[in-house]
Amino acid sequence: MAAKFVLEPPKKGDPIEVRQDLTLDVPDRPIVPFIEGDGTGPDIWRASQAVFDAAVRKAYGGKREIAWYEVFAGEKANKVYGEALWLPDETVEAIRRYVVAIKGPLTTPIGGGFRSINVTLRQVLDLYACVRPVRYFQGVPSPMKRPELLDVMIFRENVEDVYAGIEWAAGSPEANRVIALCKELGKTIRAESGIGIKPMSAFGSKRLIRRGILYALEHGKASVTLVHKGNIMKYTEGAFRGWGYELARDEFADRVISEDDVYKHHGGKVPAGKVLIKDRIADSIFQQLLLRPDEYSVLCTPNLNGDYLSDACAAQVGGLGIAPGGNIGDRAAVFEATHGTAPKYAGLDKVNPGSVMLSGALMLEHLGWSEASALITRGMERAIQAKTVTYDFARQMEGAREVKCSGFGSAVIEQMV
Ligand code: NAP
């Protein structure tokens, strides 16, 4: 019989606590759970952890240090626990207790009955904001003429909309009942239709948009754009837009201004010191971000729009390979690679660890350790500019020096100046 409790937090280190106002109380030696991930995960994690430790050491000269705490999920959890356990309860509890965690990519088991581990983590920990910074790193191959003009922070709602979607197959008794109910309510749905319901609430939309506005205010960003398909879905996507403006008015009236007000009362010019709140229809934002990327800085979007938009933006600056991500809630946050496990390269020390490294930079910023975060970003920027890159970039860059996954980590550390 497998042991059910295998985790032991590090002895040296203290937990991060969430204060009553939901800000974080971060000790100098915070215990941070990590999941190294499957496939190429261990290679990527080794390289990334060395970078995180070097950045923290360099920024704080030994005054601060992360007490890493390995917790298990995915294939490694199966091995460690000796049974098919993809996301052990104690892993979830450890993340809940220690508030901030980071993970590599995990295999999604194929077959009936398994929900993605990533999706499960987001739901059980109520990580309602999927946060994706998208910016260009000089030298990365990109299909755009001026990829550096795109620099956005995407806040994508992470637990409602299609992630909380309810579906019934065409012809099922449930679908037939919903069709009959709609008929009673005066709405006609063709027989033999599949049915999907996407719930979106004021509470869920507002807490996401609040994070976006606070981020813009704290980081001196020019605007927050609400992305929606409200012209078609009035009471979900359209309501998202409405709730966003309502929140801006109710909670941030003295620090933000709507696009409407700017045109009506300020001759089209945003008053100094105010963050502009605007909205764009989901299909139009894709053109806008291609044609006028520098007019956007923070984007808040419901779940499905954000899914498409995050990857499209990442493609503009050179692909998902180095796109970082964070899933943030009020009481916990999990930072993660946005690519998968790339299993064919497992154990070859080959792939690009950039996505986990930048997710770590995002995590350090979340902890308020912005100096260490900036060092990681700077180290990566300079390593790429020096054309010291892994195979995926090297094959598209002229004159590149191809290094291994660990070699890229060392290059980033050398370039932290
Ligand atoms: P994938 O692992 O992202 O790999 C697809 C291709 O993307 C790789 O073959 C490689 O391209 C490139 N790639 C991915 N990561 C890279 C990296 N770090 N450096 C350089 N190139 C990289 O997608 P997949 O093959 O569809 O999925 C494999 C497994 O990962 C599945 O079990 C899936 O469920 C899981 N997954 C997990 C997450 C997550 O945990 N967040 C996300 C997505 C998928 P080349 O072959 O061209 O070199």
Side-chain angles (χ1 to χ4, degrees):
M1 186 66 192
K4 284 290 181 293
F5 300 98
V6 304
L7 296 183
E8 209 174 308
K11 297 208 168 42
K12 278 166 97 183
D14 302 294
I16 294 168
E17 304 288 352
V18 182
R19 298 191 190 98
Q20 240 174 359
D21 66 357
L22 300 182
T23 57
L24 298 185
D25 185 357
V26 182
D28 282 339
R29 288 191 161 53
I31 295 175
V32 175
F34 71 93
I35 297 166
E36 67 174 11
D38 297 327
T40 48
D43 284 347
I44 292 175
W45 179 256
R46 254 190 310 279
S48 302
Q49 190 183 337
V51 164
F52 303 150
D53 289 339
V56 170
R57 213 166 27 244
K58 192 167 172 74
Y60 310 114
K63 188 179 165 293
R64 287 174 166 169
E65 186 186 3
I66 292 179
W68 296 109
Y69 174 19
E70 183 166 15
V71 298
F72 305 100
E75 288 164 0
K76 190 160 181 183
N78 290 206
K79 265 193 220 124
V80 169
Y81 288 83
E83 59 181 294
L85 205 50
W86 293 89
L87 182 61
D89 288 347
E90 58 173 347
T91 293
V92 177
E93 285 320 307
I95 298 174
R96 212 191 293 277
R97 171 68 189 99
Y98 293 101
V99 181
V100 173
I102 183 164
K103 61 175 275 295
L106 291 169
T107 305
T108 301
I110 297 174
F114 285 113
R115 207 160 48 145
S116 147
I117 299 168
N118 300 313
V119 174
T120 307
L121 268 177
R122 289 170 203 169
Q123 285 179 341
V124 297
L125 295 169
D126 197 22
L127 308 176
Y128 60 83
C130 177
V131 179
R132 291 259 201 108
V134 184
R135 52 151 292 190
Y136 183 62
F137 282 83
Q138 205 61 44
V140 171
S142 152
M144 303 299 290
K145 280 192 185 147
R146 305 273 315 271
E148 71 282 0
L149 293 183
L150 184 71
D151 182 1
V152 291
M153 189 70 156
I154 303 174
F155 287 83
R156 168 190 171 204
E157 206 291 324
N158 217 12
V159 292
E160 293 198 335
D161 190 3
V162 292
Y163 268 6
I166 304 166
E167 290 201 302
W168 289 290
S172 64
E174 294 86 353
N176 291 341
R177 274 181 73 181
V178 175
I179 291 171
L181 175 66
C182 287
K183 195 169 176 197
E184 270 175 44
L185 298 171
K187 306 283 182 191
T188 307
I189 299 176
R190 196 189 305 274
E192 297 295 314
S193 292
I195 299 289
I197 295 179
K198 58 174 252 162
M200 285 167 59
S201 69
F203 172 81
S205 303
K206 283 186 175 178
R207 66 179 179 172
L208 183 270
I209 297 165
R210 184 179 295 113
R211 273 200 176 268
I213 295 179
L214 283 171
Y215 178 87
L217 289 168
E218 280 161 18
H219 293 79
K221 298 289 179 185
S223 67
V224 173
T225 305
L226 309 168
V227 179
H228 61 90
K229 189 70 185 163
N231 53 333
I232 303 297
M233 292 171 273
K234 295 189 175 13
Y235 302 120
T236 49
E237 305 259 337
F240 180 86
R241 170 188 180 276
W243 289 322
Y245 282 119
E246 191 177 289
L247 174 90
R249 229 179 12 251
D250 291 351
E251 297 185 17
F252 302 99
D254 52 335
R255 298 156 81 192
V256 306
I257 186 159
S258 71
E259 202 166 35
D260 248 13
D261 274 354
V262 167
Y263 283 100
K264 271 192 201 139
H265 307 297
H266 298 273
K269 205 164 176 296
V270 179
K274 297 242 180 178
V275 171
L276 175 67
I277 309 285
K278 51 188 174 181
D279 73 277
R280 294 291 179 269
I281 305 248
D283 39 53
S284 116
I285 194 73
F286 284 87
Q287 313 184 32
Q288 294 278 309
L289 288 168
L290 283 168
L291 302 174
R292 298 148 75 156
D294 49 348
E295 290 180 16
Y296 297 90
S297 39
V298 175
L299 304 168
C300 293
T301 149
N303 185 275
L304 186 59
N305 302 333
D307 193 8
Y308 305 143
L309 201 59
S310 307
D311 284 12
C313 285
Q316 272 181 241
V317 296
L320 278 177
I322 57 166
N327 298 287
I328 302 178
D330 288 338
R331 307 215 151 262
V334 178
F335 295 83
E336 65 175 354
T338 52
H339 55 70
T341 59
K344 68 181 175 190
Y345 300 121
L348 301 182
D349 191 19
K350 184 176 172 76
V351 295
N352 191 339
S355 176
V356 170
M357 282 179 189
L358 290 176
S359 300
L362 195 59
M363 179 184 85
L364 290 170
E365 205 181 306
H366 184 70
L367 299 184
W369 293 14
S370 44
E371 300 81 3
S373 170
L375 279 173
I376 296 172
T377 311
R378 182 101 187 101
M380 242 175 94
E381 232 163 27
R382 289 171 52 97
I384 295 170
Q385 269 167 28
K387 298 192 174 187
T388 313
V389 290
T390 45
Y391 84 98
D392 50 324
F393 284 179
R395 67 188 170 187
Q396 301 177 70
M397 282 163 88
E398 230 169 89
R401 184 165 75 86
E402 183 179 326
V403 288
K404 289 182 169 293
C405 178
S406 54
F408 184 69
S410 308
V412 172
I413 294 171
E414 269 168 37
Q415 297 285 0
M416 282 179 190
V417 289

